[in-house]
Amino acid sequence: MKNAMFKRLEQGIDAMLRHRVIVLLVIAAITAVMGYVAAHVEIKTVFSDLLPKNHPYIEVNNRFKQTFGGSNMVSIMLEVEQGDVFELGVLAKTQQITKALQKVEGIDTYQIVSLASKKMKEVRASTEGIESHPLMWPNLPKDTQEINVLREAVLNNPLVYGPYVSLDMKATLITADFIDGDVDYQKAYRQIAEITEQAKGGGVNVHIVGEPVLYGLVSHYLTETTIIFFATIGALVVLLLLITRTWHGTLLPLITGTVSAIWALGAARLMGFHLDPLVIVVAFLITAQAISNSVQLVSRFDDEIASGHVTSAQAASKVAILNLFKPGMLAVVADAGCVLVVALTPIPMLEKISLIGTVWILSIMVSAMVLTPVLLSWCGSQRRHAHPVDIMPVLRRVLKLCVYVVTSKWRYTAIGGAAVMFTLSSLYAFHLKVGDANPGSPILWPDSTYNKDARAINNKFQGSDRMFVVVAGKKEGALREPEVLQGMERFQKYMEAQPEVGGSISLADILPAVKRVLREGNARYQELGNTSNENGELVFMFVSGSDPGDMDRFADPQALNGAVTLFFRDHQGETIRTAIARVKQYVTQHPLANADYLLAGGLVGVLAAVNEVILAGQIEAIALALLVVVVCCMVTYRSGVAGVFFMVPVMLSNAITFSYMAWMDIGMNINTLPVVALGIGLGVDYSFYVVDGIREGLHRHLDLDAAIENSLMTAGKGVLITSLTLITSVIIWSFSSLRLQADMGVLIALWLFISASSALFLMPAMVRVFRPEFVVGSKERPVEQADDGGPQQAMPA
């Protein structure tokens, strides 16, 4: 059976090389077509792609976001260096920004709130009854007296003093929400930046935060990201040329990576997908897989040419692909399976990344396993060096060290050290956090302008991140019931006890203020109405002088659904989990007879849904990815032991990487999960080549130690070249202005290092110690005498 399969493979390779011109033309034609299609792929962030499907929090957010505020809110703070905000110049800038925001594309003009907006009103009593007047609309105060009146109105209004004017009166806040489907982050960021830039100066500092600004910044750095990407490619060229000293050893791996990328991006366009700027580092990781497979083939080709056992480049190419076909295909299929399981996480962005990544990896079957041997067959059998610098002796010394460690008693140290490292890393990995691990945005560096602005706003106000909990009545008018309003009031006080919650607001805050006005400003009467009718009258008095929609952010006109809006000072994963747990605990212990609490909307509510899905999905995705590796190895080597054997480098690399993420406060979130899933496959790829090289040596009737040495000096050389090249190149990502890309670059480098170290030290040592049957065979031959007189075990394949 094996011989028949091997014969068919050999016949297929012969046919491919015999018709190599046709094969090359077909691949070139497909690449040209896919290249044209790939040129039209859009690079952008679509917020709806980040939201889990069919999650109850997302359903609540989508149902009520037009009234209670969505997750695309922008906060702009004007802060004075001296005096307070009640100066004509500062108030004029507030008005200027408020008006200009109405012209920003995609903004919800009914959700712009500031001192200068029509929605910001004071309620006061007069001889004609209760009146509601805008605080500073449509005109600015004309003199000091009117400014003093405005200041007094703000200080007596709990809906303004605190939420929109800081307690020290040195800052004022402007908030605006965007319509989710209409927001173009790049345009929104550019337009808001132009508006706020005009307000800076004159002793006024401007700070801006919000998801549209954040993702607009990501798009803003797209040019820098592109430069870093091509700088990395340039470094790859230089390093490959330095190490291999040949043009075919330099260019063929790059051609392989380029063809795979073109095919994948073309397929993405055909599937109607776009490319998110934050996942470009994932694209580089997959490109690294293609380069790795190609480098192994080129390295084996060069070894065959140098050995003199072949008479032509075509024959050397045939031997290279024939011997590396099994580990190469195993690596590709395992990697593709690991990426494909990410699609089970019900988040559109992850599903798209998974599908694009799977196509990308599978394209390596053509770009590396077909195109590289075809091109190698034209490279000639005479080795010509492109430069005089030869670092191969250094690499051979490293490989000799690997051989010495594996074939001496140091192999037990290698295995024991790996076991200790796995144990300690696994224990520390339990500190890995799901969600954002630090205040501000983990996408940017802590000292970035955006994160500094977030800290400044959170220091002055209740918090820039919001979550609303809907109080859904069971009948119209339920929100006027004293029991419901008192329940909302108690719920707010309970939630405000959490340190990260800076404050809250609801209908239960408005009605006491109206009642106080009715009682000539007497603070003793700042309380809710005693009956449903009284609360209804208070609502009517507040609404009667307002415009349509002014009440929407608190309750609907039927008094059926209302919102309790909570302000958070950060959206770390632990903060969100604590808040959600406290909400659920309160709801369970204090149910309302006439209403229900619905979780949860706003940015924090949306992030809570994402974190819950990732927490449940990451364990499932990682477990399934490991299962994919096990099954692929079991099927390939027809051995259950093989599946367990190759789990070792995977488990080790994941344990170390997860512990590093925990140590560096890198949270497991929607941006890091694809890299983690792909890293599972990456952790074992190199080991496939080395272990299969040992099996090949035993097939040639070498003893075990000689087979290990032969594998390390051939397949190990490819591993060493690939890992050195990619690790050195990927370090360039650490210079990115986007912390996420820098962190992912370091993670990729760490994964590559662990994978290479496992392949060069750990896996051969385990073969030497445990002698798994799928590697060494079922029967040992008698001990033979080595040339140096020492015993050597010779095993058949």
Side-chain angles (χ1 to χ4, degrees), residues 236-287:
L236 275 174
V237 173
V238 171
L239 289 167
L240 282 173
L241 184 60
L242 177 66
I243 295 172
T244 65
R245 302 177 70 197
T246 62
W247 286 112
H248 69 266
T250 302
L251 297 180
L252 293 194
L254 295 176
I255 292 172
T256 298
T258 303
V259 169
S260 286
I262 290 173
W263 283 32
L265 294 177
R269 176 63 180 172
L270 292 175
M271 289 186 286
F273 296 164
H274 62 271
L275 191 64
D276 193 294
L278 291 175
V279 302
I280 289 178
V281 70
V282 177
F284 179 80
L285 182 52
I286 299 175
T287 303

Side-chain angles (χ1 to χ4, degrees), residues 50 215 278-279 342 345 347 349-350 353 432-438 440-444 571-573 577 607 610-615 617-618 658 661 665-677 739-740 743-744 747:
L50 310 178
Y215 288 109
L278 291 175
V279 302
V342 176
T345 307
I347 298 177
M349 187 181 106
L350 294 182
I353 291 174
L432 178 63
K433 298 174 182 177
V434 175
D436 296 343
N438 292 296
S441 171
I443 294 174
L444 302 171
H571 52 253
Q572 295 181 77
R577 278 190 295 278
L607 291 177
V610 172
N611 291 350
E612 287 185 6
V613 167
I614 288 178
L615 181 61
Q618 71 157 339
F658 286 167
M661 290 174 68
D665 278 338
I666 302 172
M668 180 72 76
N669 55 42
I670 193 171
N671 298 307
T672 58
L673 186 60
V675 179
V676 169
R739 179 190 174 184
L740 174 69
D743 286 343
M744 293 304 98
L747 276 183

Side-chain angles (χ1 to χ4, degrees), residues 150-361:
L150 173 63
R151 180 188 285 109
E152 191 66 25
V154 167
L155 293 175
N156 287 316
N157 192 333
L159 302 181
V160 182
Y161 184 50
Y164 285 91
V165 174
S166 63
L167 297 179
D168 62 3
M169 295 188 290
K170 286 187 170 292
T172 183
L173 197 65
I174 304 167
T175 62
D177 203 358
F178 282 78
I179 302 169
D180 283 353
D182 296 342
V183 58
D184 182 324
Y185 292 120
Q186 194 166 9
K187 284 185 180 178
Y189 167 73
R190 188 170 57 250
Q191 292 172 355
I192 291 173
E194 290 173 358
I195 291 169
T196 54
E197 190 64 34
Q198 297 173 7
K200 293 179 180 178
V204 177
N205 297 318
V206 181
H207 307 276
I208 323 165
V209 295
E211 297 301 286
V213 176
L214 175 62
Y215 288 109
L217 268 170
V218 172
S219 298
H220 174 72
Y221 286 122
L222 183 58
T223 302
E224 179 194 282
T225 301
T226 305
I227 292 172
I228 291 175
F229 184 84
F230 283 108
T232 306
I233 299 299
L236 275 174
V237 173
V238 171
L239 289 167
L240 282 173
L241 184 60
L242 177 66
I243 295 172
T244 65
R245 302 177 70 197
T246 62
W247 286 112
H248 69 266
T250 302
L251 297 180
L252 293 194
L254 295 176
I255 292 172
T256 298
T258 303
V259 169
S260 286
I262 290 173
W263 283 32
L265 294 177
R269 176 63 180 172
L270 292 175
M271 289 186 286
F273 296 164
H274 62 271
L275 191 64
D276 193 294
L278 291 175
V279 302
I280 289 178
V281 70
V282 177
F284 179 80
L285 182 52
I286 299 175
T287 303
Q289 307 287 76
I291 290 173
S292 175
N293 283 275
S294 183
V295 167
Q296 285 288 348
L297 286 165
V298 173
S299 178
R300 183 56 183 263
F301 172 85
D302 288 342
D303 288 341
E304 292 298 327
I305 293 293
S307 70
H309 295 153
V310 293
T311 57
S312 66
Q314 191 166 331
S317 178
K318 175 184 173 179
V319 172
I321 186 60
L322 198 58
N323 285 283
L324 297 181
F325 183 83
K326 180 192 284 186
M329 292 299 289
L330 176 58
V332 169
V333 173
D335 290 345
C338 290
V339 175
L340 187 60
V341 298
V342 176
L344 298 176
T345 307
I347 298 177
M349 187 181 106
L350 294 182
E351 292 174 352
K352 292 177 181 179
I353 291 174
S354 175
L355 293 175
I356 295 172
T358 302
V359 172
W360 202 320
I361 293 172

Side-chain angles (χ1 to χ4, degrees), residues 434-611:
V434 175
D436 296 343
N438 292 296
S441 171
I443 294 174
L444 302 171
W445 294 102
D447 61 351
S448 66
T449 301
Y450 181 91
N451 282 330
K452 287 180 179 177
D453 285 352
R455 287 193 292 270
I457 292 175
N458 290 326
N459 286 336
K460 288 291 182 182
F461 291 95
Q462 297 170 331
S464 58
D465 300 320
R466 304 184 180 196
M467 177 176 80
F468 64 78
V469 177
V470 177
V471 180
K474 297 179 181 178
K475 60 180 180 180
E476 289 191 7
L479 292 187
R480 295 194 286 266
E481 297 290 338
E483 180 227 356
V484 174
L485 288 168
Q486 289 165 9
M488 293 169 67
E489 193 174 44
R490 287 193 297 269
F491 172 66
Q492 289 177 246
K493 290 178 181 178
Y494 175 80
M495 291 303 299
E496 287 173 5
Q498 183 178 341
E500 296 86 2
V501 178
S504 64
I505 194 168
S506 74
L507 184 63
D509 295 306
I510 296 173
L511 302 189
V514 177
K515 189 171 182 179
R516 176 184 175 181
V517 170
L518 279 174
R519 300 289 182 168
E520 298 179 346
N522 191 332
R524 288 177 56 195
Y525 294 97
Q526 189 162 327
E527 59 185 7
L528 293 166
N530 296 317
T531 65
S532 176
N533 288 336
E534 184 181 357
N535 286 323
E537 291 172 0
L538 294 174
V539 171
F540 175 77
M541 291 176 186
F542 181 78
V543 173
S544 61
S546 64
D547 296 315
D550 282 0
M551 194 70 174
D552 284 352
R553 56 196 175 111
F554 304 110
D556 59 22
Q558 296 80 27
L560 179 62
N561 299 307
V564 175
T565 302
L566 305 170
F567 299 90
F568 288 79
R569 292 194 170 95
D570 67 67
H571 52 253
Q572 295 181 77
E574 195 59 39
T575 298
I576 296 175
R577 278 190 295 278
T578 300
I580 294 294
R582 285 174 61 81
V583 171
K584 290 180 177 178
Q585 182 182 27
Y586 181 88
V587 170
T588 302
Q589 295 176 353
H590 304 89
L592 297 174
N594 298 317
D596 296 314
Y597 293 96
L598 303 179
L599 283 164
L603 175 62
V604 174
V606 165
L607 291 177
V610 172
N611 291 350

